[in-house]
Amino acid sequence: MSHSRAVKRLVAVVELGSTGIRLLVAELDGHGGWRIFDRAGKPVSLGRDVFTSGQVSLDTASQCLGILRGFRDVLTGWGLDVSAAECIATSALREARNRETFIDRVFLQTGFRVKTVEGIEEIRLMHLALNFAVRERRGELARSNSMVIEVGGGSTEIMLLRRNRIAAAHSLGVGTVRVQQQVESNMGSGRYLLRFLEENINTTCERLSSELKLDTVKSFICIGSDARIAADKAGSRVCDTYSVITRKAFVDFIERISSYQADELVQRLHIAYSDAEGMIPGLLVARLFLEKTTAEEIIVPDVSIREGVLINLASGADEVEEFHAQVIASALALGRRYLFDEEHGAHVTRLALKLFDELTVEHGLDKHARLLLEVAGILHDIGTFIKTSGHHKHSEYILANSEIFGLAQDDRAVVANVVRYHRKQSPQQTHVSYMGLEPGLRMIVNKLSAILRVADALDRGHTQHVDIHEIEKSETGLTLRSGNPMDLSLERFSLAEKAGMFEDVFGLKVLLI
């Protein structure tokens, strides 16, 4: 019996961060694994520029172009073209007013195609990297609540895990570069820095505690160079992919270095100046969050967003299933925060997915669209928390302004619009949020909304007593057999009210028997 041989391929990941540009070259083995061949990094002041003036300066842009040309030469040495590189940018470039101009210059002068990633996408990639780094502790994490934090130059990414499932994910506008500038502009001392951070973080923690009580958090995981330095100096190495440092040792280390200037940190700790510059604010942010938990040690993985991108490129079926599970866990956590009808949402979702799977030829959508329908089905009635009347509009508002792990901005916009149209009215040209979507996304909204309407009509009374046991398709119609001897008058009436959009989109009349 012959087995197909996995094809190995060489890839590169480039990250334009707030404090530097970094490169990783690795070989994917075709089975979800990889081997890293090369790493490189150069400091650059993207964050300092953007968080001060709102845009990338000419000098910094020139510096970035020079670094990227050098990285292009490195790739050439490995026999790679720049088209083989995944080039991402985080919070600094994401917020730059001249982002598009800068990205265009980068492409024209270096060949790298830069993609800015949202905060929630950073969290997803961070989660992929984290799962790889601490895989041997998954059993332990599955038995406790955890907080995962990464303090970057422009933002802090936070995940709360309830037994290793996403309970909340947030990207906060508090980063080391941003904090330093705030302190400098107010001619602040270390005491001012601490007070500034305490005020911001206390407010954040109040919100986080409504999603997962922080005093139940037993595992604290801190990602980033600041934590790695602390673990190297005051912790212990557990394996190749992570270290640990006790709570007391972590706090003592911060106390010992908190009065040092960057030059002193370089001399005393033997670290690069670019690492020293924002180290103390970064560690203080981590400590303030740690103090809200009951964790007795900090787990410090040896990974970054670049490894997350690498894992994403190498992902196999297990990673895809894990990602799907985490998205759904995040959607459920959001629904519970707004006291949604979970049983109704779950039942409507099952019906909607059954219709989606039956209509693959008619809708022509992919698995990602199916995931968006699943999230929309779970959360379509979330707006009743605000008011039952017009709840579809309230649902749209909540979803448009909430973060769901793994869903990018366009994804959330699609989901928000799908729930907006799960009732009677169809999309109109006067509807700003719908018309603001790209034409391709509007078509996805139409198809998913049409399916969700039918599914929701089948549970009009929120009783979950109508299921779809069989679906029969003809050229002009869709017959849904419930297999339930109960009176279906209410569901048939609801279907008659809501099936018009389905008929318009798919050209099929729907009959429930």
Side-chain angles (χ1 to χ4, degrees):
M1 183 177 176
S2 63
H3 294 276
S4 59
R5 190 174 179 180
V7 178
K8 296 181 178 180
R9 65 185 177 111
L10 206 61
V11 298
V13 179
V14 177
E15 177 203 355
L16 282 73
S18 298
T19 59
I21 302 178
R22 301 166 185 89
L23 167 72
L24 182 153
V25 178
E27 181 185 66
L28 306 183
D29 63 13
H31 293 293
W34 68 89
R35 184 163 53 135
I36 294 176
F37 286 155
D38 201 358
R39 295 178 186 270
K42 297 283 186 181
V44 70
S45 300
L46 269 173
R48 186 166 288 276
D49 276 6
V50 174
F51 305 141
T52 302
S53 66
Q55 61 183 23
V56 182
S57 69
L58 286 175
D59 287 345
T60 298
S62 297
Q63 188 183 1
C64 290
L65 291 168
I67 293 169
L68 290 171
R69 289 189 194 101
F71 285 175
R72 182 181 59 189
D73 294 341
V74 171
L75 297 189
T76 301
W78 283 104
L80 279 172
D81 188 78
V82 289
S83 61
E86 289 284 320
C87 190
I88 62 168
T90 53
S91 59
L93 195 54
R94 189 166 65 227
E95 295 181 26
R97 289 197 304 268
N98 60 342
R99 176 185 65 192
E100 299 303 329
T101 302
F102 175 81
I103 289 174
D104 185 59
R105 283 188 67 195
V106 167
F107 174 66
L108 292 175
Q109 297 188 32
T110 70
F112 286 105
R113 291 187 180 276
V114 180
K115 178 180 71 173
T116 56
V117 294
E118 296 179 61
I120 201 69
E121 174 68 0
E122 282 192 62
I123 291 173
R124 185 183 78 82
L125 295 170
M126 180 174 77
H127 188 259
L128 286 175
L130 169 66
N131 270 346
F132 164 74
V134 298
R135 56 195 180 280
E136 68 178 43
R137 298 185 73 150
R138 279 193 182 185
E140 174 190 331
L141 296 176
R143 294 189 296 272
S144 65
N145 294 337
S146 312
M147 174 183 283
V148 183
I149 181 171
E150 180 179 27
V151 186
S155 62
T156 295
E157 317 306 334
I158 292 178
M159 280 188 294
L160 297 179
L161 306 179
R162 182 182 285 107
R163 298 188 177 184
N164 214 28
R165 292 291 186 205
I166 297 288
H170 296 285
S171 181
L172 312 175
V174 177
T176 56
V177 176
R178 216 187 286 270
V179 169
Q180 279 181 298
Q181 290 180 329
Q182 177 71 23
V183 173
E184 289 170 7
S185 65
N186 287 276
M187 301 179 66
S189 62
R191 187 174 298 173
Y192 172 82
L193 168 63
L194 186 59
R195 190 173 75 249
F196 171 77
L197 290 175
E198 284 176 336
E199 289 174 358
N200 280 273
I201 290 170
N202 285 340
T203 301
T204 299
C205 287
E206 288 176 11
R207 182 169 51 144
L208 294 177
S209 286
S210 69
E211 298 167 316
L212 179 70
K213 290 188 179 302
L214 298 187
D215 58 6
T216 68
V217 170
K218 304 292 184 185
S219 299
F220 191 88
I221 302 165
C222 195
I223 299 174
S225 60
D226 303 329
R228 286 198 296 272
I229 292 169
D232 180 58
K233 303 300 179 184
S236 58
R237 193 74 174 170
V238 174
C239 65
D240 289 343
T241 54
Y242 74 92
S243 302
V244 297
I245 178 172
T246 66
R247 183 184 185 117
K248 183 178 186 307
F250 186 68
V251 172
D252 289 347
F253 177 75
I254 296 171
E255 288 295 325
R256 179 160 58 89
I257 68 167
S258 60
S259 62
Y260 295 168
Q261 299 299 314
D263 290 338
E264 291 179 275
L265 290 172
V266 170
Q267 292 173 1
R268 292 173 182 265
L269 302 181
H270 308 290
I271 60 177
Y273 188 86
S274 56
D275 288 330
E277 213 171 1
M279 182 177 172
I280 291 174
L283 290 176
L284 285 174
V285 170
R287 192 193 84 186
L288 289 169
F289 278 107
L290 173 66
E291 289 172 349
K292 303 295 182 181
T293 76
T294 54
E296 289 302 321
E297 69 174 14
I298 299 96
I299 302 170
V300 183
D302 245 353
V303 291
S304 67
I305 191 174
R306 296 178 295 287
E307 281 80 11
V309 173
L310 194 61
I311 295 166
N312 199 48
L313 292 172
S315 286
D318 289 346
E319 285 80 7
V320 172
E321 289 177 10
E322 174 67 16
F323 169 69
H324 176 273
Q326 295 289 5
V327 172
I328 299 308
S330 181
L332 288 170
L334 178 63
R336 288 164 186 156
R337 188 163 27 138
Y338 288 96
L339 308 178
F340 77 139
D341 185 340
E342 190 164 347
E343 290 184 356
H344 172 67
H347 188 68
V348 168
T349 301
R350 282 193 297 272
L351 297 175
L353 295 181
K354 198 163 190 175
L355 289 166
F356 183 95
D357 294 340
E358 186 67 31
L359 295 165
T360 52
V361 174
E362 286 77 11
H363 60 61
L365 300 176
D366 59 15
K367 289 182 178 179
H368 188 69
R370 188 182 191 276
L371 175 61
L372 299 184
L373 175 61
E374 188 169 359
V375 173
I378 291 168
L379 298 173
H380 70 280
D381 276 350
I382 194 173
T384 57
F385 178 84
I386 298 173
K387 193 175 182 181
T388 302
S389 174
H391 71 269
H392 56 300
K393 294 180 182 179
H394 302 315
S395 295
E396 177 194 17
Y397 176 81
I398 291 172
L399 290 169
N401 292 279
S402 298
E403 292 178 335
I404 297 175
F405 173 83
L407 299 192
Q409 185 174 350
D410 281 348
D411 294 331
R412 297 196 304 276
V414 168
V415 171
N417 275 277
V418 170
V419 301
R420 164 71 173 82
Y421 300 115
H422 83 270
R423 294 185 74 199
K424 296 178 182 179
Q425 192 176 29
S426 297
Q428 306 292 323
Q429 289 191 348
T430 55
H431 296 171
V432 176
S433 60
Y434 175 79
M435 294 306 297
L437 297 173
E438 295 176 3
L441 296 181
R442 293 204 293 268
M443 183 53 67
I444 292 173
V445 168
N446 292 349
K447 293 176 179 180
L448 298 186
S449 297
I451 292 172
L452 182 59
R453 281 187 183 211
V454 172
D456 189 44
L458 298 179
D459 196 37
R460 174 68 175 265
H462 290 223
T463 57
Q464 296 86 57
H465 72 257
V466 176
D467 209 335
I468 302 174
H469 289 274
E470 189 180 351
I471 299 176
E472 294 178 5
K473 277 193 299 184
S474 67
E475 288 186 6
T476 58
L478 197 70
T479 301
L480 310 178
R481 296 186 180 276
S482 71
N484 193 323
M486 296 180 65
D487 180 16
L488 302 177
S489 300
L490 178 63
E491 287 76 19
R492 289 192 183 112
F493 174 76
S494 181
L495 192 59
E497 277 191 322
K498 302 181 72 170
M501 185 177 181
F502 186 92
E503 294 173 8
D504 290 341
V505 171
F506 296 111
L508 297 171
K509 290 188 175 296
V510 188
L511 178 66
L512 174 65
I513 60 175

